[in-house]
Amino acid sequence: MENNQLLKISEIEGRGRGLVATQPLKPGQIILKDSPLLLYSASVKNSTFCSNCFRVILQSPIPCSWCTSSFFCTSNCQSIALSSSHTPWVCQSLTHLRNTFSSHNNLNVDQQIQAFFLISAYNLAVISPSSFRVLLSLQGDLSFVSESDVLLLHSLVATCPSLNLGEFGFSKELTAALLAKDKVNAFGLMEPFEADRERGVRAYGIYPMASFFNHDCLPNACRFEYVDTDVNSRSNTDIVVRVIHDVPEGREICLSYFPVNFKYSERQQRLKEDYGFTCNCDRCVVEANWSDGEDDAMDKEGEENEDEEEEDEEMEEDVDDEVNVNGKVEERDQDFPHAYFFLRYMCNRENCWGTLAPLPPDASLSSVMECNVCGNLSKSDEL
Ligand SMILES: C[S@@+](CC[C@H](N)C(=O)[O-])C[C@H]1O[C@@H](n2cnc3c(N)ncnc32)[C@H](O)[C@@H]1O
């Protein structure tokens, strides 16, 4: 991990551990580049992504020499995978699992993907015990994984070729603990953006430092991934986190765990079901008081836009004044104080809903905003 001097892990009341800025941060500043502890495929069918680096395979895929379901983009990726993500044990286990999936239809797709995670995690215990210990140190709440899933998945993995796990041992308790870590810490590496198609996940990854970011519905940082770029690099699956606007020293840095356009009720439901907490961030506190019919910030934004067009010039000045050093909007409009966030930091490309962050401040194009979903670049003064 690079740049870790910008962040420190702190205990945050009511949130467990979180990441706090150790110095004032500038808009666009890169605060974290984090490499995955492990990655696993999000596809139960043969995918168009390299089984090692998860890039889109543009030329003829190189099949694994032993199994029929893994493909690599280059012979270099194949040989890297042989000693890391696709060891002979992983290869045999995935083949076994896929055969089992096709002969038993009692596993849904989510459970099949969780089985891939377990193979990847148990493999990590063997190839890098220190990384496996880091995985075990991440947050995970056992009450979040169903006992029946644990039993089903554990018994399934138990039928894979045996593996010497040394100090860790293979047990139902360990399987349960791993599934609990995966549940709240996995980041999806997304498929390329296409406006007319829902964007799927190509792979999931667990990142040692990024796992400490807590959630806020109006985040002050967002993550970028550049899986398909950097063809000669092994760091294409790194997560890059950039600050959206000025952040003072001591402020917690939060990401949004999903696109910022989600409605209040959807956000609360998702956070409760998937992460086990009720969000009481500034935005939720405001939106909790809205009546059911006006539960959508996007509708509000539309209303705001109409009003704002009339006061355009004045607004431009106000807006800058209103966003203080904490990145908070002063309450110009009690009803919808966070309208500014949507106007300035949400991508307006159709069906994108990505978050915009300026390019890093040391880049020559620092007034350019980059979308973390579609990758679109726009001049901030055009917004
Ligand atoms: C990816 S972890 C973040 C780091 C975690 N707080 C820790 O101590 O390691 C996600 C978990 O953090 C907690 N969390 C994240 N954002 C929160 C928030 N806004 N309010 C309360 N808890 C939050 C929830 O328990 C959630 O399941």
Side-chain angles (χ1 to χ4, degrees), residues 327-338:
K328 305 264 175 186
V329 181
E330 303 293 355
E331 296 208 359
R332 176 180 58 84
D333 183 340
Q334 293 281 334
D335 205 25
F336 190 29
H338 38 270

Side-chain angles (χ1 to χ4, degrees), residues 21-71:
T22 58
Q23 54 186 267
L25 302 171
K26 290 190 174 51
Q29 189 165 354
I30 295 174
I31 49 168
L32 181 68
K33 282 187 186 170
D34 207 13
S35 304
L37 291 170
L38 59 81
L39 291 168
Y40 57 98
S41 176
S43 169
V44 290
K45 305 217 173 74
N46 284 352
S47 90
T48 50
F49 304 107
C50 172
S51 300
N52 181 55
C53 71
F54 292 100
R55 289 186 175 91
V56 173
I57 302 181
L58 295 172
Q59 279 153 15
S60 319
I62 300 173
C64 168
S65 312
W66 294 281
C67 71
T68 52
S69 53
S70 297
F71 295 88

Side-chain angles (χ1 to χ4, degrees), residues 65-316:
S65 312
W66 294 281
C67 71
T68 52
S69 53
S70 297
F71 295 88
F72 302 96
C73 57
T74 60
S75 52
N76 187 37
C77 244
Q78 184 179 26
S79 77
I80 292 168
L82 201 55
S83 58
S84 55
S85 60
H86 199 72
T87 60
W89 180 78
V90 172
C91 182
Q92 288 165 24
S93 300
L94 291 182
T95 305
H96 169 74
L97 286 183
R98 287 183 200 274
N99 289 338
T100 313
F101 297 160
S102 54
S103 55
H104 298 83
N105 53 9
N106 61 340
L107 281 157
N108 62 39
V109 171
D110 287 345
Q111 290 166 329
Q112 294 178 23
I113 294 169
Q114 284 178 306
F116 292 164
F117 159 72
L118 288 172
I119 296 298
S120 196
Y122 277 118
N123 178 53
L124 186 70
V126 174
I127 62 169
S128 177
S130 59
S131 301
F132 190 71
R133 268 180 231 113
V134 175
L135 173 61
L136 292 180
S137 72
L138 300 179
Q139 181 177 332
D141 183 345
L142 285 175
S143 63
F144 252 49
V145 285
S146 83
E147 179 68 15
S148 58
D149 274 2
V150 173
L151 287 175
L152 183 68
L153 290 163
H154 185 70
S155 58
L156 190 65
V157 176
T159 61
C160 292
S162 65
L163 193 63
N164 180 2
L165 291 169
E167 64 185 282
F168 304 113
F170 178 70
S171 67
K172 184 169 79 66
E173 289 68 32
L174 186 56
T175 296
L178 290 170
L179 291 171
K181 313 282 172 197
D182 182 54
K183 175 99 183 159
V184 294
N185 293 296
F187 283 87
L189 294 180
M190 307 305 286
E191 292 179 351
F193 172 78
E194 288 173 46
D196 54 358
R197 200 170 72 91
E198 195 178 336
R199 199 171 174 229
V201 181
R202 63 174 97 188
Y204 291 99
I206 307 244
Y207 292 80
M209 193 70 176
S211 289
F212 290 110
F213 283 114
N214 286 321
H215 165 89
D216 196 294
C217 299
L218 287 182
N220 51 13
C222 62
R223 70 159 169 125
F224 288 82
E225 54 192 48
Y226 303 98
V227 185
D228 289 316
T229 57
D230 226 357
V231 279
N232 296 314
S233 156
R234 284 182 69 173
S235 57
N236 70 309
T237 52
D238 286 4
I239 276 181
V240 178
V241 179
R242 298 216 308 263
V243 173
I244 295 175
H245 47 63
D246 280 306
V247 173
E249 179 182 340
R251 168 95 31 198
E252 184 183 6
I253 308 289
C254 291
L255 305 179
S256 175
Y257 290 174
F258 35 70
V260 290
N261 66 311
F262 278 25
K263 288 180 183 186
Y264 173 75
S265 52
E266 288 170 337
R267 301 197 307 272
Q268 290 292 349
Q269 187 183 0
R270 178 86 168 255
L271 292 168
K272 193 76 192 160
E273 286 176 6
D274 292 353
Y275 299 94
F277 70 92
T278 300
C279 187
N280 52 15
C281 70
D282 291 355
R283 178 178 167 196
C284 284
V285 168
V286 171
E287 292 182 18
N289 294 321
W290 292 356
S291 60
D292 288 350
E294 53 172 15
D295 185 19
D296 192 344
M298 294 302 101
D299 294 344
K300 285 262 180 198
E301 196 220 336
E303 288 166 25
E304 290 283 318
N305 268 336
E306 283 160 28
D307 297 345
E308 276 155 10
E309 273 162 24
E310 287 161 27
E311 0 172 319
D312 225 7
E313 280 296 305
E314 193 188 342
M315 226 339 248
E316 275 299 309

